[in-house]
Amino acid sequence: MGKLAKYKVELKNMREDACSYEYELTDQFFTDIDATEIHKGQLNVKLDVKKSMGVYVLDFHITGTVTVPCDRCLSDLDLPVDTENVLKVKLGVEFSDEDDMVIVPEEDGYINVSWFMYEFIELSLPMKRVHEPGKCNKAMMGVLNQHIAQRVNEEDFGFEDENDELPDDGDDTPTDPRWNELKKILDNN
């Protein structure tokens, strides 16, 4: 954690009941923390620490952009980040991260917030990380389309070709008559 030592926040020796920190997170931060999903980023972090009745409340406000791989074409995708998170910390005997409270050893008296900042950033990103329709890497999309067994919805892949239709599987099985009776119920509503 030598590379991430600048993200230590002193709690035990805090002189006032409140203090503020500012961090500039760059590509180096994500390299140092060995980030799995986020490759690059340019973010500003404002951290306010307030001490109240033995509990330290860390209030994070993180803004900027990060670069992640597109889930569809694997090319770089820039995503905005604007998140506010609160972390409650208490001094105790040994480190513990339970529920909504983090306990740090009193003998250490500090918390390194680097991993928490990374988690807050990661959790603020959407689950589906894809380019807007038509913006994906065309070469990769061409390769993917060659290997797709059945095209589900080409709009999802950023292509819209009205001449492409799904092949008819030749299944002319008659519909179960019970379904027709159920459709009558829907028609009455």
Side-chain angles (χ1 to χ4, degrees):
M1 282 265 185
K3 297 176 184 176
L4 301 171
K6 64 182 173 182
Y7 303 108
K8 285 183 181 180
V9 175
E10 278 293 330
L11 300 175
K12 187 176 181 180
N13 298 326
M14 218 168 103
R15 300 196 187 282
E16 301 171 13
D17 288 342
C19 59
S20 297
Y21 299 87
E22 285 196 34
Y23 301 106
E24 185 83 19
L25 305 183
T26 61
D27 299 349
Q28 189 62 45
F29 170 78
F30 297 104
T31 301
D32 291 345
I33 205 158
D34 198 22
T36 55
E37 288 293 318
I38 302 173
H39 301 300
K40 302 178 206 170
Q42 190 64 39
L43 299 130
N44 293 315
V45 180
K46 291 185 177 144
L47 170 60
D48 294 319
V49 181
K50 294 177 186 162
K51 180 180 177 183
S52 174
M53 297 173 51
V55 175
Y56 299 87
V57 178
L58 284 68
D59 188 13
F60 295 85
H61 185 204
I62 305 170
T63 57
T65 59
V66 293
T67 304
V68 296
C70 173
D71 291 341
R72 195 179 300 136
C73 70
L74 302 178
S75 292
D76 284 350
L77 171 66
D78 291 331
L79 292 174
V81 173
D82 189 357
T83 184
E84 291 189 28
N85 302 89
V86 174
L87 180 67
K88 293 179 182 175
V89 181
K90 194 171 160 182
L91 297 175
V93 178
E94 60 183 39
F95 183 84
S96 174
D97 186 2
E98 298 175 11
D99 300 325
D100 62 343
M101 181 75 68
V102 175
I103 299 174
V104 296
E106 189 167 359
E107 63 187 37
D108 292 345
Y110 69 87
I111 184 169
N112 190 315
V113 295
S114 58
W115 186 252
F116 294 103
M117 290 188 297
Y118 175 76
E119 284 183 337
F120 294 148
I121 295 164
E122 179 76 32
L123 291 172
S124 74
L125 300 177
M127 288 186 69
K128 186 176 180 182
R129 302 169 189 169
V130 295
H131 288 101
E132 293 179 22
K135 301 288 183 187
C136 275
N137 181 325
K138 300 287 185 199
M140 178 62 87
M141 295 313 300
V143 170
L144 282 174
N145 280 334
Q146 289 175 358
H147 297 285
I148 292 177
Q150 181 179 5
R151 295 182 185 164
V152 178
N153 184 355
E154 290 205 349
E155 246 179 59
D156 289 341
F157 292 102
F159 293 102
E160 295 178 24
D161 190 355
E162 296 168 5
N163 296 330
D164 276 349
E165 294 182 17
L166 292 174
D168 184 16
D169 60 2
D171 187 15
D172 292 331
T173 309
T175 307
D176 187 340
R178 292 176 289 186
W179 287 113
N180 292 332
E181 294 300 316
L182 289 172
K183 286 181 184 176
K184 288 179 186 177
I185 293 172
L186 287 175
D187 292 337
N188 288 336
N189 291 333

